[in-house]
Amino acid sequence: MGGQVSRTDFEWVYTEEPHATRRRQIMAKHPEIKELFGHDSYMVYKVVFMIALQLIACYFVQYASWSNVIILAYCFGGVINTSMAAAIHEISHNLAFGHSRPLQNRILSIVGNVILGLPGSITYKKYHLEHHKYQGNEGIDMDLPLEIEGALFHTTFTKFIWLFLQPLFYTLRPLFMRPKPVTRLEIINAAVQLAFDVIICYFFGGKALAYLISSTLLASGVHPMGGHFVAEHYMFKKGYETYSYYGPLNALTFNVGYHNEHHDFPNIPGCRLPKVREIAPEFYESLPHHTSWIRVLYDFVTDPDIGPYARVKRRGKLIPINPAEVDGEGDTVLYDFVTDPDIGPYARVKRRGKLIPINPAEVDGEGDTVLYDFVTDPDIGPYARVKRRGKLIPINPAELDGDGDTKAD
């Protein structure tokens, strides 16, 4: 049923992902790139605008036929919901309010999530940040297809079917391959989504809710906007694992097409990613890239060298998910320490106090100062002295000799 894919395994490599190295090189040569760091101060307005558009659409689709509901979901709703998914991607990197206000970013992502019809913004963040840090690492990067995907979808026809099933695989991979503890924010995400869906059904009917969910699912598969899922990391040219897209649809997806630039500098908001390429063109102009997401989908289906197996994979040590190492957002504390620009060795509270000199006479056998032990050791204090009970010797001036000692001495 169609041409057979020539690949029978992933592209295994034993090198580090390329973005950290290129980031250091660009920072060394173009330190002015730091001026692009920050957040998109207009993100809130963009999210609210997209929600408003979909609410207006929900009002009209309640009177449409089912066939028109699906057509509208594909042609209009799919564009809006893909844009919202791209916004949620931006927000997952704290690019709406900055790294200093993570909770506000999470709240905005939950609010934006409502028009997608299905909850997922908080869970997405938990896994997406690992995709950046451990790109291509087997068992950690949940963006990678499973072995069974490569084995089953290996012909032109089955690859076409695989494109439709992409949302299903993106949902199931983390649940089976790398399950993580459910966080309070995920529960809130699901509760808010359920409440919104009930409200939509109450005011606009079931067609409106079906429209929203169909918009999300249809746009994630065989859809011009959905082409970015394949374009970003499937190996269209041997040896390259990340590809940028330079085309008009970037205007609707927060420049997610600038994917090499994004992986190199995930702390730069999408609205400024084109400037990265302008500042450091020598690092990007020679890299293979895409100019059409529709062409990406066509090549994926028809080219025998491309399929679910066309991904770069690395064997690495599996990083366990320890609940004690997970913060309130479901991220590992170590990952936040490494990736968050606001956290590092300097991120400690210090107090200025009187300098305590180190006198050899004040240091005990373990190298600690006697004063430190006196202050911190619960067994040491003013009471920690040996006392003896004896006859009280009165102090009478007549009994003192010239040195201030008693004459009895």
Side-chain angles (χ1 to χ4, degrees):
M1 301 180 71
Q4 185 83 17
V5 174
S6 59
R7 296 194 66 93
T8 58
D9 197 2
F10 297 100
E11 182 78 7
W12 292 97
V13 299
Y14 301 92
T15 57
E16 295 294 326
E17 56 88 15
H19 302 289
T21 300
R22 187 160 58 234
R23 182 185 309 121
R24 288 192 294 269
Q25 293 172 344
I26 293 176
M27 293 282 284
K29 189 172 182 180
H30 300 284
E32 67 273 19
I33 206 88
K34 295 180 182 178
E35 297 175 7
L36 302 179
F37 291 4
H39 64 278
D40 184 350
S41 57
Y42 295 101
M43 180 63 73
V44 174
Y45 307 108
K46 297 172 185 176
V47 168
V48 171
F49 177 69
M50 288 185 283
I51 293 174
L53 286 179
Q54 285 295 62
L55 289 177
I56 293 171
C58 285
Y59 172 79
F60 286 106
V61 298
Q62 64 181 320
Y63 306 110
S65 65
W66 279 106
S67 59
N68 286 337
V69 168
I70 299 303
I71 292 172
L72 186 63
Y74 186 87
C75 297
F76 178 77
V79 175
I80 303 302
N81 280 13
T82 302
S83 293
M84 183 61 80
I88 290 173
H89 165 255
E90 288 273 290
I91 299 168
S92 73
H93 290 282
N94 293 327
L95 296 176
F97 295 99
H99 290 281
S100 62
R101 294 193 285 175
L103 183 58
Q104 286 90 327
N105 285 284
R106 303 292 78 73
I107 292 173
L108 183 61
S109 70
I110 291 173
V111 172
N113 194 145
V114 296
I115 63 171
L116 302 186
L118 301 168
S121 63
I122 300 299
T123 304
Y124 170 78
K125 179 184 183 294
K126 292 199 306 186
Y127 292 99
H128 180 68
L129 297 184
E130 289 185 339
H131 162 65
H132 275 262
K133 180 65 177 176
Y134 306 103
Q135 180 177 308
N137 280 32
E138 185 183 31
I140 303 176
D141 184 358
M142 292 296 104
D143 191 66
L144 293 168
L146 303 176
E147 178 71 32
I148 192 171
E149 294 176 58
L152 292 179
F153 303 96
H154 55 83
T155 67
T156 299
F157 176 74
T158 56
K159 285 191 292 180
F160 184 70
I161 298 300
W162 182 86
L163 290 176
F164 282 104
L165 297 177
Q166 270 198 106
L168 177 65
F169 288 121
Y170 267 91
T171 302
L172 295 180
R173 284 175 202 153
L175 298 179
F176 287 97
M177 300 301 296
R178 193 166 170 75
K180 296 185 179 185
V182 177
T183 66
R184 284 174 294 180
L185 282 176
E186 286 180 288
I187 296 173
I188 294 172
N189 189 183
V192 170
Q193 187 64 61
L194 178 60
F196 180 84
D197 290 350
V198 170
I199 292 171
I200 289 293
C201 285
Y202 180 80
F203 286 101
F204 303 124
K207 286 182 179 179
L209 180 59
Y211 160 78
L212 291 177
I213 296 176
S214 297
S215 297
T216 300
L217 299 179
L218 291 174
S220 301
V222 184
H223 190 284
M225 300 283 280
H228 80 88
F229 289 107
V230 176
E232 292 166 357
H233 294 291
Y234 283 84
M235 194 173 62
F236 284 77
K237 185 174 181 180
K238 188 175 178 64
Y240 294 90
E241 56 188 288
T242 305
Y243 300 78
S244 289
Y245 156 79
Y246 304 124
L249 293 181
N250 276 320
L252 299 174
T253 55
F254 298 87
N255 286 322
V256 73
Y258 285 80
H259 217 63
N260 266 305
E261 293 84 347
H262 168 63
H263 270 261
D264 290 349
F265 297 99
N267 293 323
I268 295 178
C271 59
R272 298 179 202 146
L273 285 177
K275 294 185 180 295
V276 174
R277 191 167 186 252
E278 292 176 12
I279 291 174
E282 68 274 21
F283 289 93
Y284 297 105
E285 290 182 348
S286 61
L287 297 177
H289 60 272
H290 302 294
T291 57
S292 169
W293 280 336
I294 296 177
R295 180 58 186 267
V296 165
L297 294 176
Y298 177 81
D299 288 345
F300 179 85
V301 171
T302 60
D303 192 329
D305 293 330
I306 305 173
Y309 273 135
R311 289 292 297 266
V312 171
K313 262 194 175 186
R314 296 173 173 85
R315 298 191 189 277
K317 182 180 180 182
L318 186 63
I319 300 175
I321 300 301
N322 184 342
E325 296 177 345
V326 179
D327 62 20
E329 299 176 13
D331 303 322
T332 59
V333 175
L334 289 178
Y335 178 81
D336 286 346
F337 181 83
V338 173
T339 61
D340 194 325
D342 295 327
I343 304 175
Y346 279 123
R348 291 293 300 271
V349 174
K350 271 194 173 183
R351 296 175 176 84
R352 298 189 184 278
K354 183 178 179 181
L355 186 63
I356 300 175
I358 302 300
N359 185 332
E362 297 175 342
V363 179
D364 61 21
E366 298 177 3
D368 302 322
T369 61
V370 175
L371 288 177
Y372 178 82
D373 286 345
F374 180 84
V375 172
T376 61
D377 194 325
D379 295 327
I380 304 174
Y383 279 124
R385 291 293 299 272
V386 175
K387 272 194 174 183
R388 295 176 176 84
R389 297 187 185 279
K391 183 179 178 181
L392 184 64
I393 302 175
I395 302 298
N396 187 332
E399 297 177 344
L400 297 180
D401 60 19
D403 297 325
D405 300 324
T406 61
K407 293 179 179 179
D409 292 343

